[in-house]
Amino acid sequence: MCYFCLHFGKVKPFKCSKCFHVKPFLLIYNNYTIKKHKSIKNKRNTMKQQRELHKHVLEGMSTVVLLFNQDLTLNYINPAGEMLLEQSARHVLGLPFVELIQVRDELSANSWEEEITAGESFTRHEVQLIVHGNKEVTVNLTVLPLTGSNDKTDYLLEIVLLDRWLRITREEQRVEQQEVT
């Protein structure tokens, strides 16, 4: 019987005859061991389903999610980020922060990189970003450092576009002013 797929059958060394796992075999003789290994397989399936769910949630968000590694090169971008940058993930993955996003602010690009890599989370409101050459957008920008098990820090940037919201607010203010006069 194969330790990984729990198939019974003709056993060849290091290969299951049903699922063709290339792993060492373990012959199991009692029901308890079989149930234990089935529960391991079920946990693996549950974890896979959870990863798929997390991926589905990230891809369905209207908020831009960018994940940079410790060198500030892009490792992940969701579809909202692709729309903001007007490029597919295939073209932008691996590019450094300064090539993707320019911040129109009193801080220089180097200061932004230093602030991001400082290791503390922060949020900046109504930041002017220049993306895709000359497209300027107003955003709320949140940076979260993520330290993994290997002590390497990744940086999650969450960008909420405010341009549409600001236009609606200005229009409402203009309508209120016209009603007053």
Side-chain angles (χ1 to χ4, degrees), residues 54-116:
H54 294 162
K55 183 179 177 183
H56 184 67
V57 168
L58 280 172
E59 290 178 354
M61 292 177 64
S62 62
T63 302
V64 176
V65 177
L66 305 173
L67 182 67
F68 290 90
N69 65 11
Q70 65 185 10
D71 300 325
L72 288 183
T73 57
L74 187 63
N75 282 349
Y76 174 80
I77 183 171
N78 70 344
E82 291 178 357
M83 289 175 55
L84 173 68
L85 298 177
E86 297 177 356
Q87 293 184 4
S88 69
R90 188 173 41 127
H91 291 124
V92 296
L93 289 177
L95 292 178
F97 174 79
V98 293
E99 286 185 32
L100 296 171
I101 300 171
Q102 298 169 351
V103 182
R104 189 175 197 189
D105 198 353
E106 64 275 356
L107 296 174
S108 67
N110 291 336
S111 298
W112 270 96
E113 286 185 34
E114 289 172 9
E115 189 170 2
I116 290 171

Side-chain angles (χ1 to χ4, degrees), residues 5 19 24 46 51 59 64 91 103 110 119 140 154 174:
C5 68
C19 68
T46 303
R51 281 193 298 270
E59 290 178 354
V64 176
H91 291 124
V103 182
N110 291 336
N140 285 346
D154 292 335
R174 192 163 32 108

Side-chain angles (χ1 to χ4, degrees), residues 15-165:
K15 191 177 244 184
C16 174
S17 62
K18 298 285 184 185
C19 68
F20 305 107
H21 276 115
V22 184
K23 300 283 183 183
F25 291 99
L26 175 65
L27 293 175
I28 302 171
Y29 296 106
N30 60 29
N31 260 347
Y32 172 74
T33 311
I34 291 173
K35 287 178 185 177
K36 181 179 175 186
H37 292 294
K38 283 185 180 179
S39 71
I40 291 171
K41 190 175 180 182
N42 289 340
K43 286 180 184 177
R44 286 183 189 152
N45 288 338
T46 303
M47 288 172 43
K48 184 177 179 180
Q49 290 171 349
Q50 287 178 343
R51 281 193 298 270
E52 290 296 320
L53 177 64
H54 294 162
K55 183 179 177 183
H56 184 67
V57 168
L58 280 172
E59 290 178 354
M61 292 177 64
S62 62
T63 302
V64 176
V65 177
L66 305 173
L67 182 67
F68 290 90
N69 65 11
Q70 65 185 10
D71 300 325
L72 288 183
T73 57
L74 187 63
N75 282 349
Y76 174 80
I77 183 171
N78 70 344
E82 291 178 357
M83 289 175 55
L84 173 68
L85 298 177
E86 297 177 356
Q87 293 184 4
S88 69
R90 188 173 41 127
H91 291 124
V92 296
L93 289 177
L95 292 178
F97 174 79
V98 293
E99 286 185 32
L100 296 171
I101 300 171
Q102 298 169 351
V103 182
R104 189 175 197 189
D105 198 353
E106 64 275 356
L107 296 174
S108 67
N110 291 336
S111 298
W112 270 96
E113 286 185 34
E114 289 172 9
E115 189 170 2
I116 290 171
T117 57
E120 295 183 17
S121 61
F122 65 90
T123 300
R124 299 288 179 265
H125 299 281
E126 296 188 17
V127 176
Q128 299 289 321
L129 297 181
I130 300 171
V131 294
H132 199 261
N134 58 1
K135 181 181 172 186
E136 191 171 310
V137 292
T138 305
V139 300
N140 285 346
L141 176 73
T142 301
V143 176
L144 299 166
L146 305 172
T147 304
S149 60
N150 55 3
D151 291 334
K152 292 185 179 180
T153 303
D154 292 335
Y155 302 97
L156 181 74
L157 271 69
E158 182 181 341
I159 300 173
V160 179
L161 298 171
L162 297 178
D163 286 338
R164 182 170 177 254
W165 179 79

